[in-house]
Amino acid sequence: MSILEVANIKKKFGKTEVLKGISFTLEQGEILSIIGSSGSGKTTLLRCLTFLERADEGIISVNGKTIFDSHAAGKPTVAEQRKAQLTFGLVFQNFNLFPQYNVLENVTLAGKLLAKERPDYRKNKKEILKQIEEEAVELIARVGLSEKLIYYPCELSGGQQQRVAIARALALNPGILCFDEPTSALDPELTGEVLSVMKSLASQNMTMIIVTHEMAFARDISTKAIFMDQGVIAEMGAPSELFDSPKSERLRAFLSSY
């Protein structure tokens, strides 16, 4: 059974149809790279998957359970939508760290807020918060920033901030980790440290969806690749098929620009 099934996702903004029926599946441990020109719908697709946008049509299922169905009666409750969102972790292009919080606080913030909804929170508050912080320290070490726990975002390089963002996304233990062009805001010399962390996650069987313009990296790390063009999946398959033997003229033209 697939960990993720996406069926006929469509999305419009006004009269502009951005997604025109996107369908694909993802297995546990697979790494899907999504490539395509700016405006092809890549980021909108990620935003629909992570419920930052609501798709107009389609079905999204995780581990055989439907978490979004555009034809279902009524809208999901806030609790239902939050639960669906927690299936996915999202790493943004521009880090989106809270500048007033240090590294440890950025990574623990969401977990501490969610912990307050636990029925045993008042009784076990000290133990719960201690566990959240211990797990965050381990995640920060995992991305190679143990010495930066009390540093603030303004004291970190772009690459370090993005690694904090990855740790933050991992903190809620998502089933699928999504990256929206995670190196696009970085200088070339900082890109490698972020890609290294992503390779490490891949080696640990993390299921990932990566929107990227790093073609060599996408070819190297992916188990599946999608080329999006004008709101549709123009080509999909193994990276070797897309990158070495592109079928469409548009994909060949796109790859030739890199």
Side-chain angles (χ1 to χ4, degrees):
M1 179 177 64
S2 300
I3 187 174
L4 176 65
E5 296 180 30
V6 177
N8 198 37
I9 292 294
K10 297 181 180 181
K11 179 66 180 177
K12 285 184 178 180
F13 293 102
K15 295 182 179 180
T16 303
E17 193 175 14
V18 179
L19 300 177
K20 304 175 183 178
I22 303 297
S23 300
F24 65 89
T25 62
L26 198 62
E27 303 297 322
Q28 174 66 46
E30 277 196 314
I31 300 165
L32 171 66
S33 285
I34 304 177
I35 63 173
S37 302
S38 297
S40 60
K42 306 183 303 297
T43 292
T44 299
L45 174 59
L46 273 194
R47 290 179 66 85
C48 287
L49 290 178
T50 55
F51 297 94
L52 295 178
E53 299 283 354
R54 181 179 170 86
D56 299 321
E57 291 187 37
I59 298 173
I60 301 171
S61 300
V62 174
N63 291 321
K65 182 178 180 180
T66 298
I67 62 173
F68 172 78
D69 184 348
S70 60
H71 298 295
K75 291 186 177 180
T77 65
V78 172
E80 289 172 337
Q81 181 166 317
R82 181 184 298 164
K83 185 177 180 181
Q85 285 179 309
L86 291 176
T87 302
F88 301 89
L90 178 58
V91 179
F92 299 90
Q93 295 182 38
N94 294 311
F95 327 135
N96 286 10
L97 301 178
F98 292 101
Q100 70 271 35
Y101 297 136
N102 64 33
V103 168
L104 182 59
E105 290 167 337
N106 264 283
V107 176
T108 58
L109 180 61
K112 288 181 176 180
L113 291 173
L114 287 172
K116 292 180 180 180
E117 300 177 6
R118 290 176 51 166
D120 62 338
Y121 180 73
R122 286 191 177 184
K123 181 180 178 181
N124 300 313
K125 178 180 178 179
K126 185 176 180 179
E127 292 78 10
I128 290 171
L129 295 181
K130 180 181 178 183
Q131 182 179 5
I132 290 172
E133 290 205 354
E134 287 175 348
E135 291 174 353
V137 168
E138 290 179 5
L139 286 173
I140 293 166
R142 193 170 166 186
V143 298
L145 292 173
S146 293
E147 75 285 2
K148 304 291 186 180
L149 286 177
I150 60 173
Y151 282 57
Y152 288 83
C154 64
E155 300 175 294
L156 304 175
S157 70
Q160 289 170 336
Q161 289 185 61
Q162 192 62 295
R163 284 188 278 159
V164 174
I166 293 171
R168 180 181 61 182
L170 289 169
L172 296 178
N173 195 31
I176 302 167
L177 190 57
C178 302
F179 295 85
D180 185 11
E181 299 190 23
T183 61
S184 65
L186 301 178
D187 294 332
E189 61 267 25
L190 298 176
T191 295
E193 64 186 60
V194 174
L195 298 183
S196 177
V197 170
M198 294 170 67
K199 285 184 178 180
S200 175
L201 293 173
S203 70
Q204 297 166 38
N205 204 40
M206 187 77 204
T207 306
M208 296 190 282
I209 300 175
I210 307 168
V211 170
T212 184
H213 285 290
E214 298 284 343
M215 296 299 116
F217 176 72
R219 192 193 187 291
D220 180 51
I221 196 173
S222 306
T223 57
K224 182 184 290 184
I226 284 174
F227 171 58
M228 290 187 64
D229 184 39
Q230 299 180 359
V232 301
I233 294 177
E235 290 197 40
M236 176 169 56
S240 58
E241 296 174 359
L242 266 70
F243 291 97
D244 296 341
S245 304
K247 298 175 183 177
S248 70
E249 181 61 36
R250 293 185 71 90
L251 177 54
R252 285 194 291 272
F254 172 77
L255 292 174
S256 69
S257 65
Y258 288 88

mmCIF file of all heavy atoms in Angstrom, residues 14-52:
data_model
loop_
_atom_site.group_PDB
_atom_site.id
_atom_site.type_symbol
_atom_site.label_atom_id
_atom_site.label_comp_id
_atom_site.label_asym_id
_atom_site.label_seq_id
_atom_site.Cartn_x
_atom_site.Cartn_y
_atom_site.Cartn_z
ATOM 1 N N GLY A 14 -8.530 32.538 -9.174
ATOM 2 C CA GLY A 14 -9.332 33.321 -10.096
ATOM 3 C C GLY A 14 -9.657 32.491 -11.324
ATOM 4 O O GLY A 14 -10.161 31.368 -11.214
ATOM 5 N N LYS A 15 -9.337 33.006 -12.492
ATOM 6 C CA LYS A 15 -9.578 32.269 -13.728
ATOM 7 C C LYS A 15 -8.362 31.461 -14.184
ATOM 8 O O LYS A 15 -8.431 30.755 -15.198
ATOM 9 C CB LYS A 15 -9.994 33.245 -14.841
ATOM 10 C CG LYS A 15 -11.327 33.939 -14.585
ATOM 11 C CD LYS A 15 -11.702 34.848 -15.747
ATOM 12 C CE LYS A 15 -13.050 35.518 -15.503
ATOM 13 N NZ LYS A 15 -13.431 36.409 -16.630
ATOM 14 N N THR A 16 -7.281 31.588 -13.430
ATOM 15 C CA THR A 16 -6.047 30.890 -13.816
ATOM 16 C C THR A 16 -6.022 29.493 -13.223
ATOM 17 O O THR A 16 -6.032 29.318 -12.002
ATOM 18 C CB THR A 16 -4.808 31.671 -13.343
ATOM 19 O OG1 THR A 16 -4.846 32.987 -13.881
ATOM 20 C CG2 THR A 16 -3.534 30.974 -13.805
ATOM 21 N N GLU A 17 -5.994 28.491 -14.084
ATOM 22 C CA GLU A 17 -5.945 27.093 -13.643
ATOM 23 C C GLU A 17 -4.481 26.698 -13.465
ATOM 24 O O GLU A 17 -3.748 26.527 -14.439
ATOM 25 C CB GLU A 17 -6.628 26.199 -14.678
ATOM 26 C CG GLU A 17 -6.900 24.801 -14.181
ATOM 27 C CD GLU A 17 -7.687 23.965 -15.177
ATOM 28 O OE1 GLU A 17 -7.793 24.375 -16.345
ATOM 29 O OE2 GLU A 17 -8.170 22.898 -14.778
ATOM 30 N N VAL A 18 -4.057 26.570 -12.217
ATOM 31 C CA VAL A 18 -2.646 26.322 -11.911
ATOM 32 C C VAL A 18 -2.335 24.826 -11.903
ATOM 33 O O VAL A 18 -1.299 24.390 -12.398
ATOM 34 C CB VAL A 18 -2.264 26.958 -10.558
ATOM 35 C CG1 VAL A 18 -0.796 26.683 -10.218
ATOM 36 C CG2 VAL A 18 -2.519 28.458 -10.598
ATOM 37 N N LEU A 19 -3.224 24.027 -11.322
ATOM 38 C CA LEU A 19 -3.084 22.566 -11.341
ATOM 39 C C LEU A 19 -4.265 21.987 -12.106
ATOM 40 O O LEU A 19 -5.417 22.280 -11.792
ATOM 41 C CB LEU A 19 -3.043 22.014 -9.911
ATOM 42 C CG LEU A 19 -1.910 22.504 -9.008
ATOM 43 C CD1 LEU A 19 -2.043 21.915 -7.602
ATOM 44 C CD2 LEU A 19 -0.548 22.169 -9.601
ATOM 45 N N LYS A 20 -3.980 21.131 -13.065
ATOM 46 C CA LYS A 20 -5.007 20.682 -13.995
ATOM 47 C C LYS A 20 -5.281 19.186 -13.921
ATOM 48 O O LYS A 20 -5.617 18.552 -14.916
ATOM 49 C CB LYS A 20 -4.605 21.063 -15.427
ATOM 50 C CG LYS A 20 -4.339 22.551 -15.599
ATOM 51 C CD LYS A 20 -3.830 22.886 -16.986
ATOM 52 C CE LYS A 20 -3.509 24.369 -17.124
ATOM 53 N NZ LYS A 20 -2.961 24.693 -18.461
ATOM 54 N N GLY A 21 -5.117 18.621 -12.731
ATOM 55 C CA GLY A 21 -5.396 17.202 -12.560
ATOM 56 C C GLY A 21 -4.137 16.404 -12.306
ATOM 57 O O GLY A 21 -3.703 15.621 -13.157
ATOM 58 N N ILE A 22 -3.556 16.588 -11.115
ATOM 59 C CA ILE A 22 -2.286 15.946 -10.759
ATOM 60 C C ILE A 22 -2.559 14.645 -10.015
ATOM 61 O O ILE A 22 -3.281 14.631 -9.016
ATOM 62 C CB ILE A 22 -1.432 16.873 -9.876
ATOM 63 C CG1 ILE A 22 -1.176 18.207 -10.571
ATOM 64 C CG2 ILE A 22 -0.129 16.186 -9.481
ATOM 65 C CD1 ILE A 22 -0.373 18.098 -11.847
ATOM 66 N N SER A 23 -1.953 13.552 -10.473
ATOM 67 C CA SER A 23 -2.116 12.244 -9.838
ATOM 68 C C SER A 23 -0.767 11.536 -9.770
ATOM 69 O O SER A 23 -0.017 11.515 -10.758
ATOM 70 C CB SER A 23 -3.101 11.371 -10.630
ATOM 71 O OG SER A 23 -4.374 11.973 -10.708
ATOM 72 N N PHE A 24 -0.457 10.981 -8.603
ATOM 73 C CA PHE A 24 0.742 10.157 -8.459
ATOM 74 C C PHE A 24 0.661 9.404 -7.140
ATOM 75 O O PHE A 24 -0.192 9.707 -6.292
ATOM 76 C CB PHE A 24 2.035 10.988 -8.524
ATOM 77 C CG PHE A 24 2.211 11.965 -7.385
ATOM 78 C CD1 PHE A 24 2.844 11.594 -6.205
ATOM 79 C CD2 PHE A 24 1.750 13.270 -7.501
ATOM 80 C CE1 PHE A 24 3.002 12.492 -5.160
ATOM 81 C CE2 PHE A 24 1.906 14.171 -6.459
ATOM 82 C CZ PHE A 24 2.535 13.786 -5.291
ATOM 83 N N THR A 25 1.522 8.420 -6.967
ATOM 84 C CA THR A 25 1.617 7.690 -5.708
ATOM 85 C C THR A 25 3.061 7.711 -5.221
ATOM 86 O O THR A 25 3.994 7.930 -6.008
ATOM 87 C CB THR A 25 1.162 6.223 -5.848
ATOM 88 O OG1 THR A 25 2.021 5.555 -6.787
ATOM 89 C CG2 THR A 25 -0.280 6.145 -6.323
ATOM 90 N N LEU A 26 3.219 7.494 -3.923
ATOM 91 C CA LEU A 26 4.544 7.487 -3.318
ATOM 92 C C LEU A 26 4.601 6.363 -2.297
ATOM 93 O O LEU A 26 3.690 6.212 -1.479
ATOM 94 C CB LEU A 26 4.806 8.832 -2.642
ATOM 95 C CG LEU A 26 6.247 9.224 -2.306
ATOM 96 C CD1 LEU A 26 7.078 9.325 -3.571
ATOM 97 C CD2 LEU A 26 6.273 10.553 -1.557
ATOM 98 N N GLU A 27 5.664 5.573 -2.360
ATOM 99 C CA GLU A 27 5.848 4.468 -1.423
ATOM 100 C C GLU A 27 6.725 4.919 -0.256
ATOM 101 O O GLU A 27 7.493 5.870 -0.354
ATOM 102 C CB GLU A 27 6.510 3.274 -2.127
ATOM 103 C CG GLU A 27 5.763 2.759 -3.342
ATOM 104 C CD GLU A 27 4.379 2.229 -3.009
ATOM 105 O OE1 GLU A 27 4.228 1.606 -1.942
ATOM 106 O OE2 GLU A 27 3.458 2.436 -3.822
ATOM 107 N N GLN A 28 6.617 4.208 0.869
ATOM 108 C CA GLN A 28 7.442 4.492 2.037
ATOM 109 C C GLN A 28 8.928 4.465 1.655
ATOM 110 O O GLN A 28 9.404 3.520 1.027
ATOM 111 C CB GLN A 28 7.183 3.466 3.132
ATOM 112 C CG GLN A 28 8.088 3.587 4.343
ATOM 113 C CD GLN A 28 7.862 4.885 5.109
ATOM 114 O OE1 GLN A 28 6.730 5.263 5.361
ATOM 115 N NE2 GLN A 28 8.944 5.555 5.472
ATOM 116 N N GLY A 29 9.654 5.515 2.025
ATOM 117 C CA GLY A 29 11.079 5.578 1.750
ATOM 118 C C GLY A 29 11.437 6.109 0.387
ATOM 119 O O GLY A 29 12.618 6.344 0.112
ATOM 120 N N GLU A 30 10.444 6.342 -0.470
ATOM 121 C CA GLU A 30 10.734 6.899 -1.791
ATOM 122 C C GLU A 30 11.056 8.389 -1.676
ATOM 123 O O GLU A 30 10.575 9.084 -0.777
ATOM 124 C CB GLU A 30 9.558 6.716 -2.744
ATOM 125 C CG GLU A 30 9.497 5.360 -3.401
ATOM 126 C CD GLU A 30 8.567 5.341 -4.592
ATOM 127 O OE1 GLU A 30 7.439 5.867 -4.497
ATOM 128 O OE2 GLU A 30 8.965 4.781 -5.635
ATOM 129 N N ILE A 31 11.840 8.858 -2.626
ATOM 130 C CA ILE A 31 12.183 10.271 -2.697
ATOM 131 C C ILE A 31 11.761 10.770 -4.066
ATOM 132 O O ILE A 31 12.287 10.339 -5.097
ATOM 133 C CB ILE A 31 13.689 10.489 -2.488
ATOM 134 C CG1 ILE A 31 14.089 9.959 -1.106
ATOM 135 C CG2 ILE A 31 14.041 11.955 -2.616
ATOM 136 C CD1 ILE A 31 15.558 9.789 -0.921
ATOM 137 N N LEU A 32 10.777 11.646 -4.060
ATOM 138 C CA LEU A 32 10.218 12.185 -5.287
ATOM 139 C C LEU A 32 10.747 13.590 -5.517
ATOM 140 O O LEU A 32 10.567 14.472 -4.673
ATOM 141 C CB LEU A 32 8.690 12.223 -5.198
ATOM 142 C CG LEU A 32 7.954 12.968 -6.321
ATOM 143 C CD1 LEU A 32 8.131 12.242 -7.650
ATOM 144 C CD2 LEU A 32 6.483 13.129 -5.984
ATOM 145 N N SER A 33 11.411 13.800 -6.644
ATOM 146 C CA SER A 33 11.821 15.139 -7.029
ATOM 147 C C SER A 33 10.834 15.679 -8.057
ATOM 148 O O SER A 33 10.432 14.967 -8.984
ATOM 149 C CB SER A 33 13.232 15.134 -7.623
ATOM 150 O OG SER A 33 14.198 14.979 -6.610
ATOM 151 N N ILE A 34 10.431 16.928 -7.870
ATOM 152 C CA ILE A 34 9.525 17.597 -8.801
ATOM 153 C C ILE A 34 10.281 18.745 -9.442
ATOM 154 O O ILE A 34 10.760 19.643 -8.756
ATOM 155 C CB ILE A 34 8.263 18.118 -8.091
ATOM 156 C CG1 ILE A 34 7.553 16.971 -7.366
ATOM 157 C CG2 ILE A 34 7.323 18.779 -9.088
ATOM 158 C CD1 ILE A 34 6.335 17.403 -6.567
ATOM 159 N N ILE A 35 10.413 18.701 -10.763
ATOM 160 C CA ILE A 35 11.133 19.731 -11.494
ATOM 161 C C ILE A 35 10.184 20.392 -12.482
ATOM 162 O O ILE A 35 9.108 19.873 -12.777
ATOM 163 C CB ILE A 35 12.373 19.165 -12.216
ATOM 164 C CG1 ILE A 35 11.956 18.122 -13.268
ATOM 165 C CG2 ILE A 35 13.350 18.541 -11.210
ATOM 166 C CD1 ILE A 35 13.117 17.642 -14.153
ATOM 167 N N GLY A 36 10.606 21.529 -12.985
ATOM 168 C CA GLY A 36 9.787 22.252 -13.948
ATOM 169 C C GLY A 36 10.063 23.734 -13.862
ATOM 170 O O GLY A 36 10.614 24.232 -12.871
ATOM 171 N N SER A 37 9.668 24.452 -14.886
ATOM 172 C CA SER A 37 9.895 25.894 -14.935
ATOM 173 C C SER A 37 9.071 26.612 -13.880
ATOM 174 O O SER A 37 8.069 26.084 -13.389
ATOM 175 C CB SER A 37 9.537 26.432 -16.324
ATOM 176 O OG SER A 37 10.285 25.790 -17.330
ATOM 177 N N SER A 38 9.472 27.827 -13.542
ATOM 178 C CA SER A 38 8.682 28.655 -12.641
ATOM 179 C C SER A 38 7.291 28.854 -13.233
ATOM 180 O O SER A 38 7.144 29.095 -14.430
ATOM 181 C CB SER A 38 9.359 30.012 -12.437
ATOM 182 O OG SER A 38 10.610 29.853 -11.808
ATOM 183 N N GLY A 39 6.268 28.725 -12.378
ATOM 184 C CA GLY A 39 4.905 28.880 -12.857
ATOM 185 C C GLY A 39 4.259 27.603 -13.339
ATOM 186 O O GLY A 39 3.096 27.615 -13.774
ATOM 187 N N SER A 40 4.980 26.477 -13.226
ATOM 188 C CA SER A 40 4.417 25.209 -13.706
ATOM 189 C C SER A 40 3.487 24.556 -12.690
ATOM 190 O O SER A 40 2.817 23.571 -13.007
ATOM 191 C CB SER A 40 5.539 24.239 -14.092
ATOM 192 O OG SER A 40 6.367 23.960 -12.969
ATOM 193 N N GLY A 41 3.441 25.080 -11.461
ATOM 194 C CA GLY A 41 2.522 24.552 -10.446
ATOM 195 C C GLY A 41 3.163 23.758 -9.340
ATOM 196 O O GLY A 41 2.474 23.215 -8.469
ATOM 197 N N LYS A 42 4.490 23.695 -9.299
ATOM 198 C CA LYS A 42 5.196 22.848 -8.342
ATOM 199 C C LYS A 42 4.901 23.253 -6.899
ATOM 200 O O LYS A 42 4.527 22.426 -6.062
ATOM 201 C CB LYS A 42 6.714 22.901 -8.592
ATOM 202 C CG LYS A 42 7.146 22.576 -10.003
ATOM 203 C CD LYS A 42 8.653 22.585 -10.161
ATOM 204 C CE LYS A 42 9.317 23.884 -9.764
ATOM 205 N NZ LYS A 42 8.892 25.031 -10.614
ATOM 206 N N THR A 43 5.105 24.538 -6.591
ATOM 207 C CA THR A 43 4.898 25.002 -5.222
ATOM 208 C C THR A 43 3.427 24.934 -4.835
ATOM 209 O O THR A 43 3.089 24.583 -3.697
ATOM 210 C CB THR A 43 5.436 26.441 -5.064
ATOM 211 O OG1 THR A 43 6.861 26.414 -5.190
ATOM 212 C CG2 THR A 43 5.082 27.012 -3.698
ATOM 213 N N THR A 44 2.543 25.244 -5.760
ATOM 214 C CA THR A 44 1.104 25.145 -5.472
ATOM 215 C C THR A 44 0.730 23.717 -5.115
ATOM 216 O O THR A 44 -0.075 23.485 -4.199
ATOM 217 C CB THR A 44 0.267 25.632 -6.667
ATOM 218 O OG1 THR A 44 0.577 27.005 -6.929
ATOM 219 C CG2 THR A 44 -1.228 25.505 -6.388
ATOM 220 N N LEU A 45 1.308 22.749 -5.801
ATOM 221 C CA LEU A 45 1.048 21.351 -5.476
ATOM 222 C C LEU A 45 1.482 21.040 -4.051
ATOM 223 O O LEU A 45 0.729 20.424 -3.282
ATOM 224 C CB LEU A 45 1.778 20.436 -6.468
ATOM 225 C CG LEU A 45 1.710 18.933 -6.168
ATOM 226 C CD1 LEU A 45 0.271 18.443 -6.126
ATOM 227 C CD2 LEU A 45 2.525 18.144 -7.183
ATOM 228 N N LEU A 46 2.684 21.470 -3.668
ATOM 229 C CA LEU A 46 3.146 21.239 -2.295
ATOM 230 C C LEU A 46 2.231 21.907 -1.283
ATOM 231 O O LEU A 46 1.919 21.340 -0.237
ATOM 232 C CB LEU A 46 4.569 21.782 -2.112
ATOM 233 C CG LEU A 46 5.752 20.888 -2.446
ATOM 234 C CD1 LEU A 46 7.027 21.494 -1.872
ATOM 235 C CD2 LEU A 46 5.580 19.473 -1.955
ATOM 236 N N ARG A 47 1.793 23.112 -1.585
ATOM 237 C CA ARG A 47 0.922 23.836 -0.663
ATOM 238 C C ARG A 47 -0.437 23.160 -0.518
ATOM 239 O O ARG A 47 -1.032 23.175 0.558
ATOM 240 C CB ARG A 47 0.759 25.295 -1.116
ATOM 241 C CG ARG A 47 2.050 26.109 -0.945
ATOM 242 C CD ARG A 47 1.875 27.543 -1.422
ATOM 243 N NE ARG A 47 0.926 28.282 -0.588
ATOM 244 C CZ ARG A 47 1.234 28.899 0.538
ATOM 245 N NH1 ARG A 47 2.481 28.866 1.001
ATOM 246 N NH2 ARG A 47 0.318 29.552 1.240
ATOM 247 N N CYS A 48 -0.912 22.536 -1.588
ATOM 248 C CA CYS A 48 -2.165 21.778 -1.493
ATOM 249 C C CYS A 48 -1.970 20.499 -0.671
ATOM 250 O O CYS A 48 -2.835 20.129 0.131
ATOM 251 C CB CYS A 48 -2.694 21.438 -2.891
ATOM 252 S SG CYS A 48 -3.395 22.841 -3.787
ATOM 253 N N LEU A 49 -0.839 19.839 -0.855
ATOM 254 C CA LEU A 49 -0.562 18.617 -0.101
ATOM 255 C C LEU A 49 -0.438 18.895 1.386
ATOM 256 O O LEU A 49 -0.860 18.069 2.212
ATOM 257 C CB LEU A 49 0.730 17.960 -0.607
ATOM 258 C CG LEU A 49 0.703 17.331 -1.999
ATOM 259 C CD1 LEU A 49 2.078 16.784 -2.349
ATOM 260 C CD2 LEU A 49 -0.343 16.224 -2.088
ATOM 261 N N THR A 50 0.133 20.044 1.734
ATOM 262 C CA THR A 50 0.373 20.366 3.141
ATOM 263 C C THR A 50 -0.729 21.254 3.724
ATOM 264 O O THR A 50 -0.602 21.748 4.841
ATOM 265 C CB THR A 50 1.732 21.069 3.311
ATOM 266 O OG1 THR A 50 1.783 22.223 2.459
ATOM 267 C CG2 THR A 50 2.868 20.127 2.931
ATOM 268 N N PHE A 51 -1.790 21.464 2.959
ATOM 269 C CA PHE A 51 -2.991 22.173 3.406
ATOM 270 C C PHE A 51 -2.756 23.652 3.713
ATOM 271 O O PHE A 51 -3.527 24.261 4.442
ATOM 272 C CB PHE A 51 -3.623 21.459 4.611
ATOM 273 C CG PHE A 51 -4.080 20.069 4.264
ATOM 274 C CD1 PHE A 51 -3.250 18.979 4.486
ATOM 275 C CD2 PHE A 51 -5.313 19.853 3.687
ATOM 276 C CE1 PHE A 51 -3.647 17.700 4.134
ATOM 277 C CE2 PHE A 51 -5.723 18.568 3.338
ATOM 278 C CZ PHE A 51 -4.890 17.495 3.559
ATOM 279 N N LEU A 52 -1.695 24.215 3.122
ATOM 280 C CA LEU A 52 -1.560 25.665 3.150
ATOM 281 C C LEU A 52 -2.479 26.294 2.112
ATOM 282 O O LEU A 52 -2.814 27.475 2.195
ATOM 283 C CB LEU A 52 -0.103 26.069 2.891
ATOM 284 C CG LEU A 52 0.894 25.636 3.967
ATOM 285 C CD1 LEU A 52 2.300 26.038 3.579
ATOM 286 C CD2 LEU A 52 0.527 26.236 5.320
#
